[in-house]
Amino acid sequence: MVRALLAIAVPVAALVPGPWSDTSLPAQQRAALVVANLTLDEKLAFLHGPHGRNSQCTTDAKCAYVGNVAGNDRLDIPPITMQDGPQGFRVTGNKATSTAWPSGLTMAASWDPDALYAWGRGMGREFYAKGANVQLGPGLCLARVPRNGRNFEYLSGEDPFLGATLAFPAISGIQAQKVVANAKHFVFNNQETNRLKVSAKVDERTRFEMYYPPFQGAIDAGVGSVMCSYNRIGGTYSCENPETLRELKETMGFKGYVVSDWLATHSTSLMAGLDMEMPSDRFMNPAMIKTGLEEGNITASAVDDSVARILRSMFDVGVMDEPSSTWDWKKLQKNVTTEEAALVARQLSQVSTVLLKNEGGTLPLAKGQKLAVLGFADLGTVVHAGGSGKVMPSFVAKPLDTIRAAAGEGAEVSFNNGTDIAAAVELASSADVAIIFVATLSQEGRDRDSLSLDDGCVVNEREYNDQCKGNGDRQNELVAAVAAANPKTVVVASVPGAVLMPWSGDVAAILTNFMPGQQAGFAIADVLFGVVNPSGKLPLTFPNRENETELAPSQWPGLPENNPTEETYSEELLVGYRYYDAKGIEFTTGFPFGHGLSYTKFEYSDLYVFHDCLGEACDLGRPLFETVSFTVKNVGQVAGAEVAQLYLGFPKEAGEPPLQLKGFKKTKALEPGQEERVEIYLNPARDAAIWDARAHDWALVPGLFDVKVGASSRDIRLAGNFTQGMRAVPREPELLV
Ligand code: GLC
């Protein structure tokens, strides 16, 4: 009997028993109890990576991950094992597999918090399986510069509300797997040009209204860590900038720890708000910190606070209560992608595919047709972009294979990779439908040369492996020629962000799947053949022309041309669709923010705005919240889901852009004739307020607000208004239209 009992190995929690072992205590308290039990040297060991290590090794535990902090053997505190990136576990060195998920921006195109949670959960599971207890993602930077080389990694797109709303479920999904998430890069890392030195100049109101909200969403989700960025802010490096790091910790209420981007630490900046240096210990090492303590410019309480923040994040998500074996670096050799992960990745790519155009019912494709499949649909299939966020797919579902499998009885599917345009045109002219897979790519460390499809596919062979094989620099010519030969031309664009589509008026249908991940082929075939009705919406504007928002060199990439340069965010709040609305720019070949079609049609009706207030909020004449409700009905022939969007227009005197996204809701899949009553709650303290730089706080704006509800920022179906700050008592909901 005893033997049987002994045989049931009860996994030993990592931490040696102590007052901190009480799992009913709050994480902050458990962390404080451990800190009180550590020597100074033990505390300082948590604040940096291994000495002299600037890259991942494959030899031993101390450098096995991209980021490593030694554990504490005496108390059996596990090591901190960090790995990239925002779109999955980046396998480097060994060959063991993980899943290449859709990228951050791609997931933003789903506009679906449930999808973002599933994305975070799927990724977090693989980090856990690899023994990594920190995922260096999600990326949250706003797509301020359309040509930014890392927009593909960032789930905010061009809107702070979208970023804040989607960051929350992504981080919740990751951290529910006992892996600490890392919101990056804080802050104003909105370009790659000269990223290590460029100095961003951003006024306080713009900071809080445009660039901080996605990080606030991460903080509201309890994100355990934030990565401070390479760039300087007002001349001071981000990882030693007391103003922005104080705004993060004090004004925004961040309780986790700030870790530097790799080699982005420039001083022993613990007192400025940096808690941990990566990847090594050039400045945050014990000797320099002890000198600071002796000279009085570093306080013991600041050291304790940094260590407590680090340990708190580990308690909070459950790292500390796992058996030590959980965080074993030898797990890096495990293949962690699974059938389930592959299915979820396929579903996530389906729901983040955007139907931009569909004339004459070209899509969905009927079975049994003669199809010409052209471009990057075979060897050149594009699934991910480059840099530290790149995840090598364990395999790639190629569109040519999946279209052939889905085309049905009697179908004829021919292929040409588009290098020989004449041959491609020949195939297209005799097909029922021509489907062209176009693509471009981008990477960390450089911005895109342009928004053209013809730039980007051949930038870096090493970085992109076998993607974009073929004529990456004549795609616009290929599309125009094929469209001239076959009116039923469909274009599928796999792109890392905004892209120009000069031929959009000449083709019958257009889809974009952004950076779809390794299930690319299955997901796009599901959409093309109508197995899935597309519901994605653009998370950023597709412009009509290059630099349509007229960014001057002083705004991007920064002046003077030599290092270091300064980039001034003089556009302030007018980023993306906010600029287009303020300037009244119409769309000719481009597509607006929030745009996305369906194979069915939706009608909107019965808009109500319901003020409500409780207790003292009423006395102050301030509604506690506004409820905007309306009905969405499927008036088409097939089932489908709609992402309904709510935009607010502030009273003129507030000095805000014409419209701002302040709510959205993806309906369930509605059957033909079925309708759904959608309710969106506005929190006036955030959604109907502006940042008052004098008071350093949000300020409610009294006056008349426009309420616009629709299928995109430019497809408004219902309009109404409400007056804020003048009403002291709840009133009956009133029909506004
Ligand atoms: C890179 C990136 C950051 C990444 C880190 C570790 O330079 O900026 O996103 O997580 O270094 O690879």
Side-chain angles (χ1 to χ4, degrees):
M1 179 58 180
V2 171
R3 189 190 304 278
L5 280 178
L6 287 177
I8 303 167
V10 176
V12 177
L15 218 44
V16 300
W20 45 78
S21 304
D22 178 351
T23 55
S24 69
L25 293 176
Q28 194 147 348
Q29 194 174 338
R30 297 180 73 187
L33 288 166
V34 171
V35 172
N37 199 292
L38 293 173
T39 66
L40 176 60
D41 282 333
E42 288 175 325
K43 291 174 187 174
L44 299 183
F46 286 107
L47 306 185
H48 59 81
H51 178 67
R53 269 276 160 211
N54 282 346
S55 62
Q56 187 173 1
C57 67
T58 52
T59 49
D60 62 37
K62 76 171 185 303
C63 50
Y65 293 85
V66 162
N68 306 271
V69 173
N72 177 294
D73 296 340
R74 178 175 66 88
L75 295 182
D76 207 354
I77 297 172
I80 298 175
T81 52
M82 302 175 159
Q83 192 74 12
D84 287 313
Q87 23 275 337
F89 188 96
R90 175 172 163 76
V91 170
T92 48
N94 60 60
K95 292 289 165 272
T97 61
S98 63
T99 303
W101 298 85
S103 80
L105 181 70
T106 310
M107 289 309 301
S110 72
W111 289 59
D112 180 352
D114 293 343
L116 271 293
Y117 185 90
W119 181 64
R121 179 181 55 203
M123 295 191 295
R125 281 177 178 167
E126 296 190 5
F127 278 76
Y128 179 92
K130 285 277 194 181
N133 51 42
V134 178
Q135 173 175 355
L136 297 171
L140 303 181
C141 304
L142 215 66
R144 167 185 182 251
V145 175
R147 287 167 51 185
N148 174 20
R150 294 187 82 172
N151 281 341
F152 73 94
E153 295 189 68
Y154 300 147
L155 60 74
S156 301
E158 68 187 29
D159 183 82
F161 181 89
L162 183 66
T165 308
L166 299 182
F168 189 103
I171 283 157
S172 304
I174 293 169
Q175 299 198 147
Q177 314 315 312
K178 300 185 172 39
V179 173
V180 174
N182 177 263
K184 69 185 189 181
H185 308 90
F186 187 80
V187 62
F188 315 129
N189 182 186
N190 302 103
Q191 66 181 59
E192 289 300 291
T193 304
N194 195 16
R195 67 170 177 163
L196 304 181
K197 287 191 180 310
V198 72
S199 176
K201 209 167 136 201
V202 192
D203 67 279
E204 184 176 326
R205 176 173 178 177
T206 300
R207 294 205 293 271
F208 278 90
E209 291 192 25
M210 294 300 287
Y211 297 93
Y212 287 177
F215 291 92
Q216 187 66 62
I219 292 166
D220 295 349
V223 71
S225 67
V226 163
M227 185 185 292
C228 50
S229 54
Y230 283 119
N231 53 285
R232 295 179 301 138
I233 304 162
T236 302
Y237 280 108
S238 169
C239 294
E240 56 190 29
N241 192 306
E243 183 179 22
T244 48
L245 293 177
R246 185 182 57 253
E247 287 173 339
L248 173 73
K249 291 184 174 178
E250 290 174 20
T251 315
M252 297 161 73
F254 175 53
K255 299 281 181 272
Y257 64 95
V258 175
V259 56
S260 74
D261 200 338
W262 271 229
L263 302 176
T265 305
H266 296 273
S267 65
T268 310
S269 44
L270 186 133
M271 297 304 283
L274 179 67
D275 299 306
M276 184 192 284
E277 173 182 0
M278 273 296 142
S280 55
D281 64 345
R282 298 179 305 154
F283 298 99
M284 294 282 276
N285 59 62
M288 290 183 176
I289 293 182
K290 283 179 181 172
T291 302
L293 287 166
E294 284 145 23
E295 292 173 356
N297 43 41
I298 291 179
T299 64
S301 64
V303 169
D304 287 357
D305 179 57
S306 292
V307 178
R309 285 172 175 269
I310 294 165
L311 300 181
R312 179 190 186 282
S313 73
M314 297 167 79
F315 277 116
D316 192 40
V317 307
V319 170
M320 287 293 203
D321 298 319
E322 285 296 288
S324 310
S325 59
T326 307
W327 316 116
D328 177 353
W329 69 287
K330 295 193 198 63
K331 286 184 165 183
L332 283 166
Q333 301 306 325
K334 290 180 68 173
N335 293 334
V336 298
T337 191
T338 60
E339 283 301 309
E340 185 198 350
L343 177 60
V344 174
R346 174 174 181 171
Q347 291 164 338
L348 295 179
S349 181
Q350 289 165 353
V351 297
S352 49
T353 297
V354 183
L355 178 61
L356 296 173
K357 180 181 182 184
N358 186 23
E359 257 167 18
T362 303
L363 295 177
L365 298 174
K367 301 261 184 181
Q369 292 194 93
K370 188 174 179 184
L371 304 175
V373 176
L374 309 170
F376 303 124
D378 189 16
L379 279 183
T381 300
V382 168
V383 296
H384 59 68
S388 63
K390 182 177 85 171
V391 179
M392 282 311 296
S394 44
F395 92 106
V396 172
K398 297 184 179 68
L400 177 59
D401 300 339
T402 56
I403 290 171
R404 280 199 164 124
E409 204 60 37
E412 267 183 68
V413 179
S414 58
F415 172 69
N416 180 294
N417 78 0
T419 305
D420 175 345
I421 291 181
V425 168
E426 180 66 28
L427 280 185
S429 52
S430 60
D432 297 321
V433 182
I435 308 160
I436 315 174
F437 284 81
V438 296
T440 186
L441 288 162
S442 71
Q443 67 186 83
E444 175 179 345
R446 56 175 289 135
D447 290 329
R448 293 163 63 186
D449 294 339
S450 77
L451 296 181
S452 167
L453 279 174
D454 293 342
D455 281 332
C457 259
V458 288
V459 162
N460 177 335
E461 286 291 330
R462 181 183 58 77
E463 188 60 46
Y464 296 131
N465 322 107
D466 57 0
Q467 296 186 97
C468 287
K469 279 275 176 273
N471 68 337
D473 54 357
R474 292 176 60 203
Q475 297 180 78
N476 287 314
E477 186 186 340
L478 170 67
V479 173
V482 167
N486 188 329
K488 290 268 185 192
T489 293
V490 176
V491 176
V492 178
S494 301
V495 290
V499 70
L500 298 181
M501 297 182 164
W503 32 260
S504 66
D506 308 325
V507 300
I510 307 169
L511 288 157
T512 181
N513 56 3
F514 288 104
M515 291 284 108
Q518 64 185 55
Q519 293 294 314
F522 286 119
I524 201 66
D526 295 336
V527 170
L528 285 168
F529 286 94
V531 172
V532 168
N533 185 352
S535 58
K537 300 281 185 178
L538 287 181
L540 41 64
T541 303
F542 276 17
N544 303 302
R545 61 178 176 81
E546 285 293 349
N547 195 20
E548 197 157 35
T549 57
E550 308 285 347
L551 286 176
S554 58
Q555 292 166 277
W556 175 78
L559 282 176
E561 286 314 317
N562 59 327
N563 276 343
T565 63
E566 184 166 272
E567 47 172 358
T568 305
Y569 287 35
S570 51
E571 77 283 353
E572 296 179 343
L573 307 176
L574 298 186
V575 173
Y577 71 93
R578 290 167 164 82
Y579 180 91
Y580 278 74
D581 291 348
K583 304 295 180 186
I585 299 172
E586 293 306 325
F587 286 91
T588 52
T589 56
F591 296 95
F593 173 80
H595 174 73
L597 303 176
S598 170
Y599 294 149
T600 187
K601 294 245 176 289
F602 298 100
E603 244 172 35
Y604 290 62
S605 63
D606 298 335
L607 173 66
Y608 276 71
V609 176
F610 179 56
H611 297 256
D612 200 348
C613 53
L614 298 172
E616 79 290 340
C618 295
D619 305 340
L620 297 174
R622 291 166 26 180
L624 190 66
F625 58 87
E626 308 284 348
T627 310
V628 177
S629 61
F630 51 91
T631 298
V632 176
K633 182 175 183 179
N634 181 345
V635 294
Q637 306 306 313
V638 295
E642 167 75 319
V643 176
Q645 300 156 44
L646 163 63
Y647 295 86
L648 281 192
F650 278 55
K652 289 272 166 296
E653 54 280 5
E656 291 288 303
L659 288 179
Q660 298 177 61
L661 179 74
K662 292 294 183 183
F664 59 90
K665 174 86 167 34
K666 180 172 180 176
T667 67
K668 62 180 183 293
L670 300 173
E671 293 299 326
Q674 202 179 5
E675 60 186 43
E676 179 176 319
R677 187 74 187 157
V678 175
E679 290 202 338
I680 294 176
Y681 300 96
L682 289 171
N683 167 5
R686 279 278 175 84
D687 301 326
I690 59 173
W691 183 262
D692 179 341
R694 288 185 314 280
H696 305 295
D697 198 356
W698 292 101
L700 273 180
V701 176
L704 188 72
F705 283 76
D706 285 329
V707 174
K708 307 271 188 185
V709 167
S712 86
S713 61
R714 290 295 177 92
D715 181 2
I716 299 300
R717 307 289 184 84
L718 301 171
N721 57 50
F722 66 83
T723 302
Q724 171 158 267
M726 322 299 246
R727 196 164 312 290
V729 291
R731 63 178 173 167
E732 284 311 305
E734 67 187 86
L735 182 58
L736 287 159
V737 283

